[in-house]
Amino acid sequence: MTTRRDFLKTSAGAGVGAAVGLGSVKPLRGAPAVHRSMVTPVAVASGNGLEAVTTAIRVVNEGGDTLDGVVEGVNIVERDPNDSSVGFGGLPNLDGVVQLDSSLMHGPSRGAGAVACLEGIKTPSRVALDVMRYTDHVLLVGKGAQRFAVSMGHQVEDLLTERSRRRWIEWRARMSDRDDYLTPEESGNRVPPFEDAEDYGTSLLDSHDGVRPLGTINCNIVSRDGDLSGVTTTSGLAWKIPGRVGDSPIVGAGLYVDNDVGACGSTGRGEAVIKTCGSHSVIELMRAGMAPVDACLEALRRVVTFTTEARLRDPEGRPNFNVNYYAVNKNGEYGGAAIWSGARFAVCMDGEARHEDSAYLFERGS
Ligand code: GLY
């Protein structure tokens, strides 16, 4: 009798491209077809996605759709005022305005939807879902995206929390000593201390691998039937130039799903992911037979190659920023990788959610 373990070994060695649904595309190396009922549902997400993967798996196990599962999962983080990387409470741009980006893809229907520079809506992923379901377009931006969101019943709200506004005020004050904004020290500490003052220190201005705070959530899932979906959502780079769009809402960069192969998404420096078509590259590498973790590492090597700017390299010539990929294939194999060691990702499988260490290219401190 073939156990699930044997099956995965066989199919992994033979290449993911052998999965069902290839149509006229020739299976790779004559691998056996995937028996749909043998995939254990798996969800993977960025490290801040433990609740998201748990929710996504619950929705799918209850018979829900894979895309509804991952969107419901990331909505928890988008609505969380204490997560400063996404949605409500996300860190704002240069002008103190929160601008959100999100994209999603539904494997079985090959659907995609995205929004960029969206202001005032707590759950940009749900607007991206409406773009996919209710329009002929894939990507809406700025005011048009907001008008569309309102037409679909989304509420426009102030997305700055007291905490994120304070962090922006602090950043603005420390930007230059040649303007009229004062830091608490410059004002002779006349400013009442912030409740969680230690959180706002200069470290926060320089806390993300030597660059400004930058967070995102990506969540991908494969169901028992081998169907895949993924979503990425973010408030993007803190203090960005208004109008800046990162990788998260760009299909092929911050997210890609091919129901024949797998799903992948990214977090980290979006500019580097866009230049290398990151998530699409991971999918193509998996289609060629690579395991998810190896495909993620190979795509990260391309990021390293594309990092030619001296300002973005450390003294050893390595990127001075991080990029993370999270991927799952149609067989239920999954992996996460980052440029730098120390990253973790969330995974839920067999009803158990946990963090796992990401593979990496470079050891911190080396
Ligand atoms: N990866 C998120 C961003 O660059 O906006």
Side-chain angles (χ1 to χ4, degrees), residues 67-82:
L67 187 56
D68 289 329
V70 289
V71 169
E72 209 174 295
V74 300
N75 286 166
I76 298 169
V77 183
E78 288 177 321
R79 292 189 176 111
D80 180 357
N82 295 316

Side-chain angles (χ1 to χ4, degrees), residues 101 214-216 234-237 244-248 266-271:
D101 297 339
L214 197 161
T216 301
T234 189
S235 51
L237 181 66
R244 179 261 188 190
V245 172
D247 57 326
S248 304
S266 63
T267 62
R269 184 179 158 80
E271 284 73 7

Side-chain angles (χ1 to χ4, degrees), residues 79-144:
R79 292 189 176 111
D80 180 357
N82 295 316
D83 188 305
S84 59
S85 70
V86 179
F88 182 45
L91 293 177
N93 65 17
L94 192 67
D95 294 338
V97 176
V98 181
Q99 288 189 323
L100 304 171
D101 297 339
S102 178
S103 66
L104 45 77
M105 291 185 80
H106 182 235
S109 67
R110 314 277 175 177
V115 289
C117 287
L118 176 65
E119 296 176 13
I121 313 284
K122 276 182 180 163
T123 51
S125 65
R126 297 207 87 83
V127 185
L129 190 62
D130 285 343
V131 171
M132 186 193 93
R133 286 184 175 158
Y134 296 100
T135 80
D136 185 43
H137 306 318
V138 169
L139 173 61
L140 295 181
V141 306
K143 287 281 169 233

